[in-house]
Amino acid sequence: AAAVDRSAPARSSPSGIGPLGGGADASAVIELRQMRDRVLSAAEARLDRLARPPALLHGELWLGAFGALSGGGGPALFDPACWYGLPECDLALLEVRGRLGPQFYEAYHAAWPKIDGYDERLNLFTLYYQLAELNRLASAGAPQGEARGAVLPGWSADANLALAVVVESMRRVVGQGS
């Protein structure tokens, strides 16, 4: 099974998928396919035991959706794609596209406290956004000449790094038990 090289310094991918170390190889694709059913079972178990009703979410919460009101009026969120879901969905996108400072999370959880299973659901929804990013990067189909650093033929280096992140997240999701 492919593993993320933790001896290499962490780096951020230009695609914004977060801190990464190492890359992926073809065995990562095989492991991803083998873990698919285990991940789906883990997801079903985690979502079946929810005790919280859905909330109105921003839907596209990432660093580019934050700003400040003119005249020192405080922080503002913009460009929403609102839908009803679990708060972990909004926070998972921040895990993938850039975390905010601790003050944001303290205020968020003061208004919307964590409930049992929060970390498991956050990992699950983070995996969802990582899979979407992997799909976007892998289907971009960069010409072979532009795929320098790619481990899988025709895949960009960013797609290979996204694959490594997805496999690591899948391991985390299935390793949490159900």
Side-chain angles (χ1 to χ4, degrees):
V4 174
D5 179 6
R6 302 226 185 268
S7 64
R11 57 191 166 132
S12 288
S13 156
S15 64
I17 58 177
L20 306 170
D25 60 25
S27 65
V29 174
I30 294 167
E31 185 175 0
L32 186 140
R33 290 180 181 145
Q34 291 171 340
M35 282 196 294
R36 177 185 56 213
D37 291 337
R38 291 174 49 207
V39 167
L40 291 173
S41 293
E44 185 176 20
R46 283 168 183 80
L47 296 175
D48 275 352
R49 62 176 190 231
L50 288 176
R52 172 179 277 169
L56 183 62
L57 303 177
H58 181 275
E60 190 67 28
L61 196 58
W62 66 292
L63 296 177
F66 288 89
L69 298 173
S70 63
L77 292 173
F78 47 86
D79 195 23
C82 296
W83 59 285
Y84 281 92
L86 298 172
E88 295 90 341
C89 292
D90 264 350
L91 297 178
L93 190 54
L94 283 171
E95 292 292 317
V96 174
R97 296 215 178 140
R99 290 183 54 84
L100 295 171
Q103 300 88 352
F104 170 83
Y105 296 95
E106 289 166 10
Y108 190 99
H109 293 302
W112 199 265
K114 294 180 185 180
I115 62 170
D116 186 44
Y118 167 85
D119 291 327
E120 293 174 339
R121 288 186 303 278
L122 182 64
N123 286 337
L124 182 63
F125 296 134
T126 299
L127 174 60
Y128 168 80
Y129 288 117
Q130 290 168 338
L131 284 166
E133 182 72 359
L134 173 60
N135 184 55
R136 183 186 70 78
L137 291 168
S139 47
Q144 199 64 23
E146 294 178 25
R148 262 185 255 134
V151 177
L152 298 175
W155 281 32
S156 69
D158 281 349
N160 280 283
L161 290 171
L163 175 61
V165 169
V166 163
V167 169
E168 188 65 30
S169 288
M170 290 177 95
R171 289 180 188 143
R172 192 170 35 255
V173 165
V174 299
Q176 292 173 325
S178 55

